[in-house]
Amino acid sequence: MILEMRFQRLRKKRMYRAGELHMVEIQAIMEEILKGMQRKYRGVLEIERLTKELADMLSVGDRESVQLLLNMRQGEIEKTRDEDYALHKLLDAVEGQNREYLAELMNGKESSTQNSAMEQKICQLAVQTKHALDKTIAVDRVLSKKLAGKDSYYQ
C-alpha cells in the first residue's frame, strides 16, 4: 500500500522526453530514496538495540523477556526488509547511468560527482546503516553461537 502511494506520487511528477527521465523525476525519486534510507536506518538501529537488549536478557536468564524481544526484533527485521524492497523498487524505476549512480549512492560508494546535499546524505545513511548492521551481526553471531552451539546459523 505504501509503495503504491509512493509510485502514484511519482507518476504525477513524471515528465518524459524521448524515453528519458527528467531531472524533476530523478529528484523526486531521490527524495523518496532518502526518506526510505532514513526509515531503513532507524529500523536497523532498532534491531541493534533489541539485539543488545536480548543479549542482556539472555545473560540473566529471563526467558519470557527473551521471547518477547525475539518477537519484537523479528517484527523490526520484517519492516526493515520491506523498506529495503521498496527502495529497490524505486531504483528499478530508473534506467541507465542514473540507476547505476543511485545504486552506488545507496551502497555508500562516494563519488566525486556528488553535488547535492541529498546525494551526500543518501551515501552517508548507507554507510551508517551498514556500520550499525555490522555491529548488530557481531552481537547476533555471539548470541547464536551461545544458544545454538554447533547448530548456529553462523557456523
Side-chain angles (χ1 to χ4, degrees):
M1 179 73 163
I2 294 172
L3 183 61
E4 184 57 36
M5 289 174 16
R6 287 182 196 158
F7 281 123
Q8 287 173 357
R9 269 188 299 201
L10 291 175
R11 277 189 215 119
K12 289 178 185 175
K13 295 180 181 181
R14 265 189 193 191
M15 294 183 226
Y16 290 99
R17 176 177 38 159
E20 291 186 13
L21 299 175
H22 275 282
M23 281 307 288
V24 172
E25 185 176 38
I26 295 296
Q27 191 71 21
I29 290 173
M30 283 180 56
E31 288 171 7
E32 290 300 316
I33 287 173
L34 178 59
K35 291 175 191 174
M37 294 287 290
Q38 289 169 332
R39 285 188 296 269
K40 181 180 173 181
Y41 178 60
R42 284 191 303 270
V44 169
L45 287 179
E46 181 62 11
I47 293 165
E48 179 184 19
R49 184 191 69 76
L50 290 168
T51 302
K52 288 177 180 176
E53 203 171 317
L54 180 63
D56 293 342
M57 291 300 113
L58 277 171
S59 67
V60 297
D62 187 348
R63 289 188 177 271
E64 289 179 23
S65 294
V66 166
Q67 190 58 48
L68 179 64
L69 287 167
L70 281 170
N71 291 336
M72 291 170 60
R73 188 176 80 152
Q74 186 60 40
E76 281 299 321
I77 289 170
E78 289 170 6
K79 286 192 323 191
T80 303
R81 183 187 60 219
D82 291 346
E83 191 59 53
D84 195 50
Y85 176 78
L87 283 166
H88 282 86
K89 291 301 271 184
L90 281 171
L91 190 59
D92 287 344
V94 182
E95 296 177 355
Q97 289 179 326
N98 288 330
R99 185 184 196 297
E100 291 173 23
Y101 180 68
L102 288 174
E104 286 179 1
L105 288 178
M106 291 170 65
N107 286 319
K109 293 183 181 170
E110 293 190 32
S111 169
S112 60
T113 61
Q114 290 174 2
N115 299 322
S116 74
M118 189 180 321
E119 291 169 314
Q120 293 172 358
K121 185 68 176 169
I122 289 170
C123 187
Q124 179 185 16
L125 280 168
V127 170
Q128 290 173 325
T129 301
K130 183 174 179 352
H131 180 68
L133 194 54
D134 289 344
K135 290 190 320 187
T136 303
I137 290 170
V139 173
D140 191 60
R141 179 176 283 123
V142 171
L143 289 176
S144 180
K145 287 180 179 179
K146 190 181 290 186
L147 288 172
K150 66 178 182 173
D151 294 328
S152 169
Y153 171 78
Y154 296 101
Q155 290 294 344

